[in-house]
Amino acid sequence: MHQNIGFRLSRLPRLWRAIIDRRLAPLGLTQTRWITLYHLWRLGDGQPQCDLARAIGVEAPSLVRTLDQLSDQGLIERCPCDQDRRTKRVFLTTAATPLLEQIDEVVTQARREMLAGLSEEEIQHLDALLEHIENNGLTIQARESEG
């Protein structure tokens, strides 16, 4: 049983994203675009590109192409940082708001369906367990990167 936990933990995010991707496809959004927009919306305007990349879990250079596409669509703007001209901050445009509201509806509905049958207490317990596993992993990663 313990051997399957890792496989389930790796398969679940792909399944979750696939469901959301399929539902957002009619809006013309690729996974990288909707995830980038959604993270920026949740994190708040004016995020440095490198922080946004870190939050999404991609390398900063990989994010640049997606930001270029979102900028071409008029959904974001990049502005130089006042403190460091090498850093660009990312801002949502007003054109992004209706799209983000649709993304949020899709994500909320998918979450509701994926967690169907679980009580609020079970969901909180699951969240605590996942946080514990994640913290263990971060501790292992930090320890191994030191050596």
Side-chain angles (χ1 to χ4, degrees):
M1 181 162 146
H2 296 288
Q3 294 136 340
N4 292 332
I5 291 173
F7 291 120
R8 285 187 185 199
L9 287 174
S10 67
R11 195 173 48 228
L12 194 53
R14 286 193 304 267
L15 176 60
W16 198 293
R17 283 191 305 266
I19 290 166
I20 295 170
D21 286 348
R22 189 171 40 257
R23 293 176 180 188
L24 290 176
L27 300 177
L29 290 170
T30 63
Q31 185 177 107
T32 54
R33 289 183 195 175
W34 76 257
I35 286 175
T36 301
L37 286 171
Y38 198 68
H39 272 82
L40 182 58
W41 191 41
R42 290 291 176 213
L43 293 170
D45 255 351
Q47 292 296 313
Q49 281 183 197
C50 57
D51 291 354
L52 182 58
R54 195 173 306 113
I56 294 170
V58 299
E59 296 293 324
S62 301
L63 183 63
V64 171
R65 184 169 148 219
T66 301
L67 293 177
D68 287 342
Q69 294 164 344
L70 292 171
S71 181
D72 290 345
Q73 288 181 277
L75 299 172
I76 64 150
E77 292 177 346
R78 287 179 282 186
C79 303
C81 178
D82 292 337
Q83 295 83 10
D84 182 356
R85 290 287 196 196
R86 296 170 296 171
T87 300
K88 298 259 191 208
R89 293 194 175 272
V90 185
F91 295 87
L92 293 165
T93 64
T94 55
T97 302
L99 186 59
L100 283 161
E101 289 169 352
Q102 289 178 289
I103 293 169
D104 192 48
E105 284 177 33
V106 168
V107 169
T108 300
Q109 181 61 29
R111 182 184 309 115
R112 192 175 299 122
E113 291 176 51
M114 291 288 289
L115 297 174
L118 297 175
S119 69
E120 188 60 36
E121 183 178 288
E122 289 171 319
I123 293 169
Q124 289 174 0
H125 189 220
L126 173 62
D127 188 51
L129 292 171
L130 291 172
E131 181 181 19
H132 185 92
I133 293 168
E134 181 180 19
N135 288 337
N136 286 346
L138 291 170
T139 299
I140 292 166
Q141 192 175 49
R143 183 178 61 233
E144 291 180 354
S145 68
E146 290 173 2

